[in-house]
mmCIF file of all heavy atoms in Angstrom:
data_model
loop_
_atom_site.group_PDB
_atom_site.id
_atom_site.type_symbol
_atom_site.label_atom_id
_atom_site.label_comp_id
_atom_site.label_asym_id
_atom_site.label_seq_id
_atom_site.Cartn_x
_atom_site.Cartn_y
_atom_site.Cartn_z
ATOM 1 N N LEU A 102 30.375 10.702 34.077
ATOM 2 C CA LEU A 102 30.206 11.320 32.759
ATOM 3 C C LEU A 102 30.363 10.308 31.620
ATOM 4 O O LEU A 102 29.616 10.347 30.642
ATOM 5 C CB LEU A 102 31.200 12.467 32.586
ATOM 6 C CG LEU A 102 31.037 13.662 33.534
ATOM 7 C CD1 LEU A 102 32.027 14.756 33.185
ATOM 8 C CD2 LEU A 102 29.626 14.220 33.503
ATOM 9 N N SER A 103 31.341 9.401 31.753
ATOM 10 C CA SER A 103 31.563 8.414 30.679
ATOM 11 C C SER A 103 30.386 7.454 30.559
ATOM 12 O O SER A 103 29.970 7.101 29.445
ATOM 13 C CB SER A 103 32.860 7.639 30.899
ATOM 14 O OG SER A 103 32.799 6.894 32.094
ATOM 15 N N ASN A 104 29.815 7.028 31.696
ATOM 16 C CA ASN A 104 28.629 6.161 31.652
ATOM 17 C C ASN A 104 27.409 6.918 31.125
ATOM 18 O O ASN A 104 26.573 6.343 30.422
ATOM 19 C CB ASN A 104 28.334 5.584 33.036
ATOM 20 C CG ASN A 104 29.226 4.395 33.358
ATOM 21 O OD1 ASN A 104 29.707 3.710 32.463
ATOM 22 N ND2 ASN A 104 29.469 4.153 34.637
ATOM 23 N N SER A 105 27.318 8.209 31.440
ATOM 24 C CA SER A 105 26.203 9.029 30.951
ATOM 25 C C SER A 105 26.231 9.149 29.428
ATOM 26 O O SER A 105 25.183 9.210 28.777
ATOM 27 C CB SER A 105 26.259 10.433 31.571
ATOM 28 O OG SER A 105 26.134 10.368 32.967
ATOM 29 N N ALA A 106 27.444 9.190 28.860
ATOM 30 C CA ALA A 106 27.589 9.364 27.404
ATOM 31 C C ALA A 106 26.969 8.206 26.623
ATOM 32 O O ALA A 106 26.525 8.390 25.481
ATOM 33 C CB ALA A 106 29.063 9.506 27.043
ATOM 34 N N TYR A 107 26.906 6.993 27.234
ATOM 35 C CA TYR A 107 26.329 5.828 26.552
ATOM 36 C C TYR A 107 24.839 6.009 26.246
ATOM 37 O O TYR A 107 24.306 5.351 25.354
ATOM 38 C CB TYR A 107 26.518 4.562 27.393
ATOM 39 C CG TYR A 107 27.931 4.039 27.389
ATOM 40 C CD1 TYR A 107 28.694 4.053 28.552
ATOM 41 C CD2 TYR A 107 28.501 3.528 26.233
ATOM 42 C CE1 TYR A 107 29.990 3.589 28.559
ATOM 43 C CE2 TYR A 107 29.804 3.059 26.231
ATOM 44 C CZ TYR A 107 30.554 3.086 27.397
ATOM 45 O OH TYR A 107 31.841 2.636 27.396
ATOM 46 N N ILE A 108 24.181 6.892 26.961
ATOM 47 C CA ILE A 108 22.750 7.150 26.728
ATOM 48 C C ILE A 108 22.552 7.902 25.411
ATOM 49 O O ILE A 108 21.550 7.724 24.723
ATOM 50 C CB ILE A 108 22.142 7.948 27.904
ATOM 51 C CG1 ILE A 108 22.288 7.154 29.218
ATOM 52 C CG2 ILE A 108 20.677 8.289 27.656
ATOM 53 C CD1 ILE A 108 21.962 7.951 30.470
ATOM 54 N N TYR A 109 23.542 8.735 25.054
ATOM 55 C CA TYR A 109 23.379 9.647 23.921
ATOM 56 C C TYR A 109 24.194 9.277 22.679
ATOM 57 O O TYR A 109 23.821 9.678 21.570
ATOM 58 C CB TYR A 109 23.770 11.071 24.349
ATOM 59 C CG TYR A 109 23.019 11.552 25.557
ATOM 60 C CD1 TYR A 109 23.570 11.439 26.838
ATOM 61 C CD2 TYR A 109 21.740 12.094 25.440
ATOM 62 C CE1 TYR A 109 22.878 11.878 27.958
ATOM 63 C CE2 TYR A 109 21.041 12.533 26.551
ATOM 64 C CZ TYR A 109 21.618 12.424 27.809
ATOM 65 O OH TYR A 109 20.927 12.845 28.919
ATOM 66 N N LEU A 110 25.302 8.549 22.863
ATOM 67 C CA LEU A 110 26.211 8.284 21.742
ATOM 68 C C LEU A 110 26.358 6.794 21.460
ATOM 69 O O LEU A 110 26.128 5.966 22.345
ATOM 70 C CB LEU A 110 27.599 8.876 22.029
ATOM 71 C CG LEU A 110 27.683 10.380 22.319
ATOM 72 C CD1 LEU A 110 29.099 10.748 22.700
ATOM 73 C CD2 LEU A 110 27.205 11.208 21.134
ATOM 74 N N SER A 111 26.768 6.476 20.245
ATOM 75 C CA SER A 111 27.022 5.078 19.880
ATOM 76 C C SER A 111 28.343 4.616 20.478
ATOM 77 O O SER A 111 29.234 5.438 20.780
ATOM 78 C CB SER A 111 27.074 4.931 18.353
ATOM 79 O OG SER A 111 28.198 5.623 17.830
ATOM 80 N N VAL A 112 28.499 3.315 20.654
ATOM 81 C CA VAL A 112 29.732 2.739 21.196
ATOM 82 C C VAL A 112 30.915 3.101 20.308
ATOM 83 O O VAL A 112 31.990 3.466 20.795
ATOM 84 C CB VAL A 112 29.598 1.192 21.320
ATOM 85 C CG1 VAL A 112 30.945 0.553 21.645
ATOM 86 C CG2 VAL A 112 28.582 0.837 22.387
ATOM 87 N N SER A 113 30.726 3.014 18.989
ATOM 88 C CA SER A 113 31.816 3.286 18.042
ATOM 89 C C SER A 113 32.307 4.730 18.161
ATOM 90 O O SER A 113 33.517 4.986 18.207
ATOM 91 C CB SER A 113 31.373 2.996 16.610
ATOM 92 O OG SER A 113 30.219 3.749 16.285
ATOM 93 N N PHE A 114 31.377 5.688 18.253
ATOM 94 C CA PHE A 114 31.763 7.098 18.317
ATOM 95 C C PHE A 114 32.436 7.421 19.650
ATOM 96 O O PHE A 114 33.364 8.235 19.701
ATOM 97 C CB PHE A 114 30.540 7.989 18.095
ATOM 98 C CG PHE A 114 30.872 9.452 17.977
ATOM 99 C CD1 PHE A 114 31.949 9.881 17.210
ATOM 100 C CD2 PHE A 114 30.109 10.412 18.634
ATOM 101 C CE1 PHE A 114 32.262 11.236 17.105
ATOM 102 C CE2 PHE A 114 30.411 11.759 18.530
ATOM 103 C CZ PHE A 114 31.484 12.170 17.765
ATOM 104 N N ILE A 115 31.984 6.797 20.729
ATOM 105 C CA ILE A 115 32.622 6.999 22.042
ATOM 106 C C ILE A 115 34.078 6.546 21.991
ATOM 107 O O ILE A 115 34.968 7.223 22.515
ATOM 108 C CB ILE A 115 31.840 6.253 23.154
ATOM 109 C CG1 ILE A 115 30.549 7.010 23.470
ATOM 110 C CG2 ILE A 115 32.682 6.107 24.426
ATOM 111 C CD1 ILE A 115 29.608 6.288 24.409
ATOM 112 N N GLN A 116 34.341 5.405 21.342
ATOM 113 C CA GLN A 116 35.719 4.915 21.238
ATOM 114 C C GLN A 116 36.578 5.884 20.434
ATOM 115 O O GLN A 116 37.757 6.083 20.737
ATOM 116 C CB GLN A 116 35.754 3.533 20.576
ATOM 117 C CG GLN A 116 35.010 2.447 21.337
ATOM 118 C CD GLN A 116 35.311 2.462 22.823
ATOM 119 O OE1 GLN A 116 34.423 2.635 23.661
ATOM 120 N NE2 GLN A 116 36.562 2.276 23.175
ATOM 121 N N MET A 117 35.979 6.499 19.421
ATOM 122 C CA MET A 117 36.715 7.487 18.618
ATOM 123 C C MET A 117 37.073 8.723 19.456
ATOM 124 O O MET A 117 38.185 9.247 19.361
ATOM 125 C CB MET A 117 35.887 7.890 17.394
ATOM 126 C CG MET A 117 35.709 6.769 16.381
ATOM 127 S SD MET A 117 34.623 7.241 15.020
ATOM 128 C CE MET A 117 34.382 5.652 14.209
ATOM 129 N N LEU A 118 36.130 9.162 20.273
ATOM 130 C CA LEU A 118 36.380 10.326 21.133
ATOM 131 C C LEU A 118 37.444 10.026 22.194
ATOM 132 O O LEU A 118 38.206 10.907 22.594
ATOM 133 C CB LEU A 118 35.086 10.782 21.811
ATOM 134 C CG LEU A 118 34.024 11.428 20.903
ATOM 135 C CD1 LEU A 118 32.741 11.676 21.686
ATOM 136 C CD2 LEU A 118 34.524 12.738 20.312
ATOM 137 N N LYS A 119 37.500 8.751 22.632
ATOM 138 C CA LYS A 119 38.495 8.354 23.648
ATOM 139 C C LYS A 119 39.927 8.435 23.120
ATOM 140 O O LYS A 119 40.875 8.416 23.904
ATOM 141 C CB LYS A 119 38.207 6.937 24.142
ATOM 142 C CG LYS A 119 37.067 6.857 25.145
ATOM 143 C CD LYS A 119 36.852 5.430 25.614
ATOM 144 C CE LYS A 119 35.712 5.330 26.609
ATOM 145 N NZ LYS A 119 35.475 3.925 27.027
ATOM 146 N N ALA A 120 40.079 8.521 21.787
ATOM 147 C CA ALA A 120 41.417 8.669 21.193
ATOM 148 C C ALA A 120 42.076 9.985 21.626
ATOM 149 O O ALA A 120 43.292 10.163 21.479
ATOM 150 C CB ALA A 120 41.326 8.600 19.670
ATOM 151 N N LEU A 121 41.268 10.920 22.177
ATOM 152 C CA LEU A 121 41.795 12.205 22.657
ATOM 153 C C LEU A 121 42.503 12.088 24.006
ATOM 154 O O LEU A 121 43.068 13.075 24.483
ATOM 155 C CB LEU A 121 40.661 13.225 22.775
ATOM 156 C CG LEU A 121 40.117 13.806 21.456
ATOM 157 C CD1 LEU A 121 38.857 14.604 21.719
ATOM 158 C CD2 LEU A 121 41.161 14.675 20.784
ATOM 159 N N MET A 122 42.466 10.914 24.629
ATOM 160 C CA MET A 122 43.070 10.743 25.958
ATOM 161 C C MET A 122 44.550 11.154 26.010
ATOM 162 O O MET A 122 44.957 11.900 26.909
ATOM 163 C CB MET A 122 42.896 9.303 26.439
ATOM 164 C CG MET A 122 43.376 9.059 27.861
ATOM 165 S SD MET A 122 42.525 10.063 29.104
ATOM 166 C CE MET A 122 40.958 9.208 29.168
ATOM 167 N N PRO A 123 45.424 10.687 25.056
ATOM 168 C CA PRO A 123 46.829 11.133 25.103
ATOM 169 C C PRO A 123 46.965 12.649 24.998
ATOM 170 O O PRO A 123 47.845 13.241 25.630
ATOM 171 C CB PRO A 123 47.466 10.445 23.884
ATOM 172 C CG PRO A 123 46.574 9.318 23.546
ATOM 173 C CD PRO A 123 45.205 9.752 23.941
ATOM 174 N N VAL A 124 46.088 13.297 24.204
ATOM 175 C CA VAL A 124 46.107 14.758 24.047
ATOM 176 C C VAL A 124 45.818 15.426 25.394
ATOM 177 O O VAL A 124 46.528 16.346 25.814
ATOM 178 C CB VAL A 124 45.058 15.221 22.994
ATOM 179 C CG1 VAL A 124 45.084 16.739 22.840
ATOM 180 C CG2 VAL A 124 45.302 14.541 21.663
ATOM 181 N N ALA A 125 44.784 14.931 26.075
ATOM 182 C CA ALA A 125 44.390 15.502 27.371
ATOM 183 C C ALA A 125 45.473 15.276 28.425
ATOM 184 O O ALA A 125 45.821 16.199 29.174
ATOM 185 C CB ALA A 125 43.067 14.885 27.823
ATOM 186 N N VAL A 126 46.018 14.055 28.475
ATOM 187 C CA VAL A 126 47.061 13.727 29.472
ATOM 188 C C VAL A 126 48.299 14.594 29.253
ATOM 189 O O VAL A 126 48.868 15.142 30.203
ATOM 190 C CB VAL A 126 47.431 12.222 29.415
ATOM 191 C CG1 VAL A 126 48.647 11.932 30.286
ATOM 192 C CG2 VAL A 126 46.259 11.357 29.871
ATOM 193 N N TYR A 127 48.723 14.726 27.980
ATOM 194 C CA TYR A 127 49.920 15.522 27.670
ATOM 195 C C TYR A 127 49.691 16.998 28.003
ATOM 196 O O TYR A 127 50.555 17.638 28.631
ATOM 197 C CB TYR A 127 50.294 15.370 26.194
ATOM 198 C CG TYR A 127 51.496 16.196 25.797
ATOM 199 C CD1 TYR A 127 52.776 15.828 26.207
ATOM 200 C CD2 TYR A 127 51.344 17.353 25.038
ATOM 201 C CE1 TYR A 127 53.880 16.598 25.869
ATOM 202 C CE2 TYR A 127 52.443 18.125 24.693
ATOM 203 C CZ TYR A 127 53.707 17.745 25.106
ATOM 204 O OH TYR A 127 54.801 18.507 24.768
ATOM 205 N N THR A 128 48.537 17.541 27.602
ATOM 206 C CA THR A 128 48.240 18.962 27.841
ATOM 207 C C THR A 128 48.200 19.271 29.334
ATOM 208 O O THR A 128 48.799 20.256 29.792
ATOM 209 C CB THR A 128 46.890 19.351 27.193
ATOM 210 O OG1 THR A 128 46.924 18.999 25.809
ATOM 211 C CG2 THR A 128 46.621 20.835 27.336
ATOM 212 N N ILE A 129 47.510 18.432 30.100
ATOM 213 C CA ILE A 129 47.419 18.643 31.553
ATOM 214 C C ILE A 129 48.777 18.423 32.216
ATOM 215 O O ILE A 129 49.146 19.138 33.147
ATOM 216 C CB ILE A 129 46.330 17.731 32.169
ATOM 217 C CG1 ILE A 129 44.953 18.181 31.661
ATOM 218 C CG2 ILE A 129 46.352 17.774 33.698
ATOM 219 C CD1 ILE A 129 43.842 17.183 31.868
ATOM 220 N N GLY A 130 49.545 17.452 31.693
ATOM 221 C CA GLY A 130 50.908 17.216 32.195
ATOM 222 C C GLY A 130 51.799 18.424 32.004
ATOM 223 O O GLY A 130 52.602 18.769 32.888
ATOM 224 N N VAL A 131 51.676 19.089 30.860
ATOM 225 C CA VAL A 131 52.455 20.314 30.585
ATOM 226 C C VAL A 131 52.019 21.431 31.529
ATOM 227 O O VAL A 131 52.857 22.149 32.093
ATOM 228 C CB VAL A 131 52.292 20.745 29.104
ATOM 229 C CG1 VAL A 131 52.875 22.144 28.876
ATOM 230 C CG2 VAL A 131 52.971 19.741 28.174
ATOM 231 N N LEU A 132 50.697 21.588 31.733
ATOM 232 C CA LEU A 132 50.168 22.634 32.620
ATOM 233 C C LEU A 132 50.658 22.459 34.057
ATOM 234 O O LEU A 132 50.955 23.438 34.738
ATOM 235 C CB LEU A 132 48.638 22.630 32.587
ATOM 236 C CG LEU A 132 47.975 23.133 31.297
ATOM 237 C CD1 LEU A 132 46.472 22.914 31.335
ATOM 238 C CD2 LEU A 132 48.282 24.611 31.062
ATOM 239 N N PHE A 133 50.740 21.204 34.514
ATOM 240 C CA PHE A 133 51.198 20.909 35.878
ATOM 241 C C PHE A 133 52.701 20.656 35.948
ATOM 242 O O PHE A 133 53.221 20.210 36.967
ATOM 243 C CB PHE A 133 50.442 19.700 36.445
ATOM 244 C CG PHE A 133 49.042 20.014 36.899
ATOM 245 C CD1 PHE A 133 47.952 19.792 36.073
ATOM 246 C CD2 PHE A 133 48.812 20.551 38.162
ATOM 247 C CE1 PHE A 133 46.662 20.081 36.489
ATOM 248 C CE2 PHE A 133 47.525 20.833 38.586
ATOM 249 C CZ PHE A 133 46.447 20.610 37.747
ATOM 250 N N LYS A 134 53.396 20.904 34.823
ATOM 251 C CA LYS A 134 54.861 20.777 34.728
ATOM 252 C C LYS A 134 55.364 19.364 35.012
ATOM 253 O O LYS A 134 56.459 19.168 35.541
ATOM 254 C CB LYS A 134 55.537 21.786 35.660
ATOM 255 C CG LYS A 134 55.249 23.227 35.262
ATOM 256 C CD LYS A 134 55.927 24.224 36.182
ATOM 257 C CE LYS A 134 55.619 25.652 35.739
ATOM 258 N NZ LYS A 134 56.226 26.652 36.630
ATOM 259 N N LYS A 135 54.537 18.364 34.660
ATOM 260 C CA LYS A 135 54.969 16.960 34.749
ATOM 261 C C LYS A 135 55.492 16.470 33.407
ATOM 262 O O LYS A 135 56.132 15.432 33.318
ATOM 263 C CB LYS A 135 53.809 16.064 35.208
ATOM 264 C CG LYS A 135 53.347 16.292 36.631
ATOM 265 C CD LYS A 135 54.441 16.139 37.663
ATOM 266 C CE LYS A 135 54.922 14.716 37.833
ATOM 267 N NZ LYS A 135 55.964 14.594 38.865
ATOM 268 N N GLU A 136 55.198 17.216 32.350
ATOM 269 C CA GLU A 136 55.684 16.924 31.000
ATOM 270 C C GLU A 136 56.341 18.178 30.448
ATOM 271 O O GLU A 136 55.865 19.285 30.683
ATOM 272 C CB GLU A 136 54.526 16.512 30.073
ATOM 273 C CG GLU A 136 53.891 15.181 30.399
ATOM 274 C CD GLU A 136 54.559 14.008 29.697
ATOM 275 O OE1 GLU A 136 55.564 14.226 28.985
ATOM 276 O OE2 GLU A 136 54.086 12.871 29.880
#
Side-chain angles (χ1 to χ4, degrees):
L102 296 184
S103 63
N104 280 334
S105 298
Y107 286 114
I108 300 169
Y109 305 96
L110 303 175
S111 66
V112 170
S113 57
F114 187 44
I115 285 172
Q116 298 315 120
M117 292 176 190
L118 290 173
K119 282 181 180 178
L121 286 170
M122 185 60 75
V124 180
V126 171
Y127 178 73
T128 305
I129 293 164
V131 169
L132 289 173
F133 283 96
K134 296 180 180 178
K135 293 303 291 181
E136 292 271 3

